[in-house]
Amino acid sequence: MHFILREYNKVIGKLSNEIGSHSLYSSTLCRVEAQTHLFRSIYLKDQSNRIRKNNISNILYNLVNIGVGVLFKPIRDLILIIISRKKIKHIDSKLLFITYGDKRSYTPNNSWREEIFRGLKVGSNKHILVLPIGKRIDDIIETIYFCNKCNESQRISNMYNLLQIQDIFKSILKATKSFVYCFLILKVKRKINVEEKNIKNELINSVFRDFLSGKMYTNALYLSALSKILKGKVDCIIFPWESTCWERLLLNKLNSIRNNKTITIGYQHTGFSHGLLQHFPTYYDQNLSINPKYILTAGKIQENRLNKIDGLSKINIET
C-alpha cells in the first residue's frame, strides 16, 4: 500500500474510533471508496464525484442535485415495504445466510440460484436473507416478488419482510443524529492532516454528501432490518465479507451483546484491491468490534493478504 494511502486509512480509522459507532453509518468514515471516491478526489484530482464548496448558491445546488437521495429513498422504501407482503418479526434457523439478490438468482423453474454462495441449497436448518439490489426500483421489486413466490419461499426472506413503516422514520432520525454527531466532532478539529495535507474540509464535505445522498439513512434502515435477526434463534450468521457499513453496524451491535453466542462468518468471496479500502481495517477500526469471528477466504493468496492487515489481527482467517 502506498504510504499516503496507508496514512489516509490510519488517520480516518483513528477518527472513526474517536467518533464511535456513529461513524459506521458513513461510507466516508468507513472508507468505502467505491462510493465516495474521496482519496481520488483529494490526491488524484478526480472531481467527478465532488461536492461543491459552501456558499449559498452551492448549498442550494448540493440540496437539489445530491439531496434527492435523502428525499427519494424513504419514499422508495415505503413502496417496497408495502409490496413486500410476507411480514416476519424474526428468523429462527441454525444457519442464516445473508446474500445479495438480483436477476442472476432467478431460474426458469422458479428456484433460487445462489450467486455468492454457489451451490447453496436451503433446507430445514438453513435460511437465506436476501438484500435486494438493482439500479432501478423495478429491479428491486422484481427480486422481492421472486423471493415471495419461488419454490423455496418458506426458507427465503428479503430484507423488507423484516421492516415496518415506522422503521423508515426511525432510520431517518438515526441517520440525522449520526450525521450531526460526526459533523460536530470533525468541525471542532483544527486540522486533520494526512502527511502535510489538511483534508478536514474535504472530509466534512464527503460526510455531508453521505447524508444528503441518503447513504447514511440506507445504512440505518439495513441495521433496523438486520437487528431483528437478533430477536430470533440463529446459531450462525454467514455473509459476504466486504466490510461495508451495514456489515460493520450489524457486527458492532451483535458483538456488544453480553454473552452473545452467535457465530459470525464472513465469506471473502472475491478479490479486492486498495481501491476497496474498507477491506483494510486499521487497528483503530478493530476497536469498534466491526469484524466477524471468522473469515473464510477464496484461496491461500487472499488468506495471506488478509493475515497482514492490522485490523484483522484478532480474527480467525481460513481458506
Side-chain angles (χ1 to χ4, degrees), residues 49-60:
N49 207 37
R50 72 184 180 93
I51 189 167
R52 291 193 177 187
K53 293 184 179 179
N54 298 330
N55 58 46
I56 293 176
S57 62
N58 285 332
I59 287 174
L60 291 174

Side-chain angles (χ1 to χ4, degrees), residues 46-167:
D46 180 357
Q47 300 299 309
S48 60
N49 207 37
R50 72 184 180 93
I51 189 167
R52 291 193 177 187
K53 293 184 179 179
N54 298 330
N55 58 46
I56 293 176
S57 62
N58 285 332
I59 287 174
L60 291 174
Y61 172 90
N62 294 332
L63 288 172
V64 172
N65 290 275
I66 301 171
V68 170
V70 79
L71 297 173
F72 167 75
K73 288 180 179 178
I75 298 172
R76 174 202 65 184
D77 292 326
L78 175 63
I79 295 169
L80 296 176
I81 288 172
I82 291 171
I83 69 166
S84 190
R85 299 168 188 166
K86 182 179 70 174
K87 293 301 174 186
I88 54 178
K89 294 182 178 180
H90 57 79
I91 294 172
D92 294 325
S93 181
K94 185 175 182 180
L95 300 176
L96 174 64
F97 291 84
I98 302 176
T99 188
Y100 296 106
D102 58 19
K103 292 181 179 180
R104 295 172 297 174
S105 299
Y106 312 162
T107 62
N109 64 357
N110 206 40
S111 291
W112 181 267
R113 179 177 58 211
E114 182 52 44
E115 277 295 307
I116 292 177
F117 303 102
R118 297 284 176 92
L120 174 66
K121 302 293 183 183
V122 296
S124 59
N125 65 344
K126 299 174 188 173
H127 196 101
I128 295 178
L129 178 63
V130 178
L131 307 180
I133 56 174
K135 292 183 178 180
R136 302 183 309 178
I137 188 171
D138 53 331
D139 294 330
I140 299 175
I141 290 172
E142 190 174 354
T143 298
I144 290 173
Y145 281 156
F146 190 82
C147 289
N148 287 344
K149 71 177 184 180
C150 70
N151 298 332
E152 302 86 356
S153 60
Q154 294 301 310
R155 303 299 298 174
I156 293 180
S157 306
N158 74 82
M159 181 186 85
Y160 292 95
N161 294 139
L162 290 163
L163 290 169
Q164 303 291 333
I165 293 174
Q166 58 264 34
D167 291 316

Side-chain angles (χ1 to χ4, degrees), residues 48-315:
S48 60
N49 207 37
R50 72 184 180 93
I51 189 167
R52 291 193 177 187
K53 293 184 179 179
N54 298 330
N55 58 46
I56 293 176
S57 62
N58 285 332
I59 287 174
L60 291 174
Y61 172 90
N62 294 332
L63 288 172
V64 172
N65 290 275
I66 301 171
V68 170
V70 79
L71 297 173
F72 167 75
K73 288 180 179 178
I75 298 172
R76 174 202 65 184
D77 292 326
L78 175 63
I79 295 169
L80 296 176
I81 288 172
I82 291 171
I83 69 166
S84 190
R85 299 168 188 166
K86 182 179 70 174
K87 293 301 174 186
I88 54 178
K89 294 182 178 180
H90 57 79
I91 294 172
D92 294 325
S93 181
K94 185 175 182 180
L95 300 176
L96 174 64
F97 291 84
I98 302 176
T99 188
Y100 296 106
D102 58 19
K103 292 181 179 180
R104 295 172 297 174
S105 299
Y106 312 162
T107 62
N109 64 357
N110 206 40
S111 291
W112 181 267
R113 179 177 58 211
E114 182 52 44
E115 277 295 307
I116 292 177
F117 303 102
R118 297 284 176 92
L120 174 66
K121 302 293 183 183
V122 296
S124 59
N125 65 344
K126 299 174 188 173
H127 196 101
I128 295 178
L129 178 63
V130 178
L131 307 180
I133 56 174
K135 292 183 178 180
R136 302 183 309 178
I137 188 171
D138 53 331
D139 294 330
I140 299 175
I141 290 172
E142 190 174 354
T143 298
I144 290 173
Y145 281 156
F146 190 82
C147 289
N148 287 344
K149 71 177 184 180
C150 70
N151 298 332
E152 302 86 356
S153 60
Q154 294 301 310
R155 303 299 298 174
I156 293 180
S157 306
N158 74 82
M159 181 186 85
Y160 292 95
N161 294 139
L162 290 163
L163 290 169
Q164 303 291 333
I165 293 174
Q166 58 264 34
D167 291 316
I168 293 176
F169 299 102
K170 291 177 182 178
S171 298
I172 292 171
L173 291 174
K174 185 61 180 177
T176 303
K177 179 181 177 180
S178 294
F179 164 69
V180 171
Y181 192 88
C182 293
F183 175 81
L184 292 176
I185 294 291
L186 296 173
K187 192 67 177 176
V188 298
K189 299 286 183 185
R190 184 170 173 269
K191 290 182 178 181
I192 300 173
N193 283 341
V194 174
E195 292 297 311
E196 296 181 357
K197 185 175 182 62
N198 181 13
I199 66 167
K200 174 182 171 178
N201 289 336
E202 289 89 345
L203 198 60
I204 290 175
N205 284 338
S206 189
V207 172
F208 186 37
R209 186 185 187 102
D210 290 342
F211 177 72
L212 279 184
S213 65
K215 292 187 182 77
M216 296 184 79
Y217 154 77
T218 295
N219 291 326
L221 191 71
Y222 269 57
L223 182 61
S224 291
L226 296 171
S227 293
K228 296 178 184 180
I229 294 171
L230 311 182
K231 297 179 181 179
K233 295 179 180 179
V234 176
D235 293 340
C236 182
I237 299 173
I238 306 102
F239 61 92
W241 181 78
E242 297 174 359
S243 201
T244 53
C245 295
W246 71 260
E247 299 168 51
R248 295 182 180 214
L249 285 163
L250 173 62
L251 292 166
N252 173 267
K253 182 159 188 172
L254 191 61
N255 292 332
S256 68
I257 298 173
R258 184 177 297 179
N259 299 323
N260 167 51
K261 295 182 180 179
T262 303
I263 297 170
T264 50
I265 300 174
Y267 174 46
Q268 185 264 310
H269 60 103
T270 187
F272 58 93
S273 68
H274 295 131
L276 302 171
L277 197 56
Q278 77 274 9
H279 287 82
F280 297 84
T282 66
Y283 169 81
Y284 300 104
D285 294 303
Q286 189 164 241
N287 290 339
L288 288 172
S289 301
I290 61 165
N291 293 322
K293 293 181 181 179
Y294 300 91
I295 293 178
L296 300 182
T297 76
K300 274 291 180 183
I301 293 175
Q302 301 295 353
E303 180 184 347
N304 292 336
R305 291 186 72 192
L306 291 172
N307 275 318
K308 295 176 182 178
I309 296 173
D310 291 343
L312 299 177
S313 61
K314 298 178 182 179
I315 309 304

Side-chain angles (χ1 to χ4, degrees), residues 4-16:
I4 294 179
L5 184 59
R6 185 185 300 111
E7 184 66 16
Y8 169 88
N9 196 26
K10 180 180 176 181
V11 166
I12 300 181
K14 188 175 182 179
L15 280 170
S16 299

